Amino acid sequence: MPLTIGRIRLFAALGVAGTALWALAPYATGYVSTQAVVNAPLNTVLSPLRGRIVRPSLAAGSGIAPGMPLVAIAAQENDRRHMTELRARQDQLDSTLAAIDREAARLGEVRARLEGRLHEYRARMVDRFAMLKRETEAELAAARAELLQRSAMLDRTERLTLRGHASEAQAEAEEAGHAAALAEVARLSAFRDRIGIEASAADAGLFIQDGWSDAPYSQQRLDEIDLRLAALDADRRRAAGERTTLAAQIAAEEQLISTRESFQPAAPSAGVIWRQSGAVGETVVPGDVLVQLVDCSARFVEVALPERHFGVIVPGALATIQLKGGGAPVTARVSAILGAGAKFDHPRLAASVPEGKPGQLRALVDLGGAALDDEPGAFCHVGRTAEVRFPSGGAGGLADQARAAGVRVLGTIAGLFGSRAAAARGPDAGSAATAGAAVAVSGSFHSAR
């Protein structure tokens, strides 16, 4: 079949139709929007006090990890009068506790010496009573011997009196001497028993002799020292408790001072510095913006679509996002749908979205789980526009069929052109040309896809 001008025009028309089928398949079988912007929330750090910057933030575009310090400012005016009073009271309590400890240590030394003296005194008193008891027992033995002698003399005098060899006066004198000897034995026996009682009491630390107190001087001084030590212990516990309370007050005051005199915020999440702080020494007042941080983990794409798609594109639906200017497409899910009449302000978002046309809905596509890089220097792509495609039900199959039809048409054209060229150069050359044309067309379509 000769290659005429009419046939060339036909082939060209078929090629254009195939290319259109392949390129426009997504638009014919799904919903594509070019009004889409990558956005993310802004974390704004405001100054809570009047001061100056002592450590600036990193430059805009720098990556920030969670918990990383952002900026540091120091207050210009410091009021530490209350802290000074607390410190003075703490020093006073420390001096009081040290004085109590010194006094208690001194009394402890005196008490140790008095205890030694008391122990020695009691031991000597016990020995004294033991010796006194032995002396009394010796006197008692002598008194008993005297009583025995008096008893014999009284018996002999009574017999002599009965015989008339002794007078009544002699008998009465012997009776008196016998009674006196008997009384002496009784007295010494009682005295010995009393010594035993006093010795037992002294051994127990109680002295009950006539004219003595119930305790010696050293014991009385020990009692006084014990009372004083008890009073010191009560004073020390009271002072220690007050100091513990004061330490808690000082810690709270230091924490309050740290918030009044300095401010060093940390990054709440990973992100990028969007607006950096001023330089070192720059003055700030309460409410000034110190630094702004883009939360890259909460990125999303805001897409404008005709409102007729409301109910078709629903939360959870998949969307393919292609950033304009390059980059691999990513797949993400719709997180929310806003109607045309919904008022959606952007007070804390990094990018501004152009006003949509009347009757347009807005779809928010979450990029949190999408495989989109978050390079800090590119500000996590915030502000970039994108093309977003939402496939409709069955759209995938229709798109594939449309692309397949376009490829078949273009392949047919390439085959025809290859056959004509081969007919002019011979069979082998024609086959090679046809194969080369087919490969070239197929490669061009794959690169376009």
Side-chain angles (χ1 to χ4, degrees):
M1 183 176 62
L3 185 64
T4 63
I5 297 298
R7 288 188 178 124
I8 291 175
R9 290 176 179 174
L10 176 61
F11 293 153
L14 289 174
V16 171
T19 302
L21 283 173
W22 180 87
L24 297 179
Y27 296 88
T29 60
Y31 312 111
V32 179
S33 174
T34 59
Q35 293 181 307
V37 176
V38 179
N39 219 329
L42 277 178
N43 292 322
T44 302
V45 180
L46 304 178
S47 173
L49 49 84
R50 178 186 298 274
R52 57 186 179 81
I53 297 176
V54 295
R55 188 181 69 244
S57 70
L58 298 177
S62 301
I64 297 294
M68 186 173 177
L70 297 176
V71 67
I73 61 175
Q76 291 180 342
E77 300 177 358
N78 301 328
D79 184 5
R80 293 201 168 197
R81 288 175 295 179
H82 185 52
M83 175 60 78
T84 302
E85 294 175 358
L86 293 176
R87 290 291 187 189
R89 179 57 181 160
Q90 186 181 47
D91 294 340
Q92 181 182 1
L93 287 174
D94 288 340
S95 300
T96 300
L97 289 171
I100 290 175
D101 290 339
R102 288 194 300 270
E103 180 68 12
R106 188 184 66 82
L107 290 175
E109 294 175 358
V110 175
R111 192 181 192 284
R113 291 197 301 269
L114 289 174
E115 281 186 337
R117 286 174 55 184
L118 178 61
H119 178 73
E120 187 68 19
Y121 179 79
R122 289 167 58 180
R124 294 296 176 262
M125 286 298 296
V126 170
D127 293 341
R128 177 178 179 275
F129 282 123
M131 296 300 295
L132 185 59
K133 184 176 182 181
R134 289 174 58 186
E135 180 182 349
T136 304
E137 287 179 347
E139 293 179 357
L140 180 58
R144 286 174 176 169
E146 178 70 19
L147 176 61
L148 183 59
Q149 183 180 6
R150 288 288 184 179
S151 296
M153 292 179 64
L154 178 60
D155 184 60
R156 188 169 50 252
T157 302
E158 287 178 349
R159 288 197 304 268
L160 291 173
T161 302
L162 290 176
R163 295 175 184 176
H165 297 295
S167 64
E168 292 291 334
Q170 289 178 333
E172 291 176 358
E174 290 300 331
E175 287 180 3
H178 180 270
L182 185 62
E184 182 65 15
V185 169
R187 183 187 70 81
L188 290 174
S189 297
F191 186 69
R192 181 195 58 184
D193 295 340
R194 189 183 75 174
I195 290 174
I197 295 173
E198 292 177 353
S200 299
D203 188 54
L206 183 64
F207 300 91
I208 55 176
Q209 292 175 291
D210 294 339
W212 288 13
S213 301
D214 60 345
Y217 174 78
S218 55
Q219 180 65 59
Q220 297 177 24
R221 292 296 297 158
L222 280 174
D223 294 340
E224 294 175 2
I225 289 175
D226 288 341
L227 291 175
R228 178 59 181 158
L229 287 174
L232 287 175
D233 183 65
D235 292 341
R236 195 187 194 291
R237 285 187 281 107
R238 182 168 54 254
E242 186 176 352
R243 192 188 185 286
T244 301
T245 303
L246 190 62
Q249 293 178 357
I250 289 175
E253 183 67 17
E254 286 177 345
Q255 182 68 24
L256 184 60
I257 287 175
S258 66
T259 59
R260 288 199 308 252
E261 296 186 353
S262 64
F263 181 57
Q264 302 181 37
S269 61
V272 179
I273 296 293
W274 183 261
R275 174 179 173 181
Q276 68 189 63
S277 69
V280 174
E282 183 175 325
T283 302
V284 294
V285 297
D288 282 356
V289 176
L290 296 178
V291 65
Q292 286 184 318
L293 180 70
V294 176
D295 188 355
C296 295
S297 63
R299 287 178 298 179
F300 64 94
V301 175
E302 186 171 347
V303 189
L305 289 168
E307 196 173 21
R308 65 176 179 273
H309 299 315
F310 200 95
V312 178
I313 299 175
V314 296
L318 289 175
T320 302
I321 299 148
Q322 175 67 61
L323 297 179
K324 296 180 180 180
V330 296
T331 302
R333 290 189 180 275
V334 176
S335 61
I337 300 292
L338 300 173
K343 183 179 180 181
F344 184 49
D345 295 329
H346 305 75
R348 296 181 60 248
L349 296 180
S352 59
V353 180
E355 292 293 333
K357 298 178 181 179
Q360 281 188 327
L361 62 84
R362 292 186 182 273
L364 305 183
V365 182
D366 184 14
L367 293 178
L372 186 65
D373 70 90
D374 53 359
E375 182 182 355
F379 291 94
C380 301
H381 302 292
V382 172
R384 290 187 62 178
T385 57
E387 179 181 277
V388 181
R389 180 164 60 90
F390 302 90
S392 62
L398 292 176
D400 293 340
Q401 294 173 15
R403 286 195 179 94
V407 170
R408 284 197 299 271
V409 171
L410 293 178
T412 300
I413 295 172
L416 289 174
F417 276 108
S419 299
R420 291 297 177 182
R425 294 190 300 270
D428 295 336
S431 300
T434 302
V439 170
V441 171
S442 176
S444 65
F445 272 90
H446 279 290
S447 64
R449 294 183 67 181

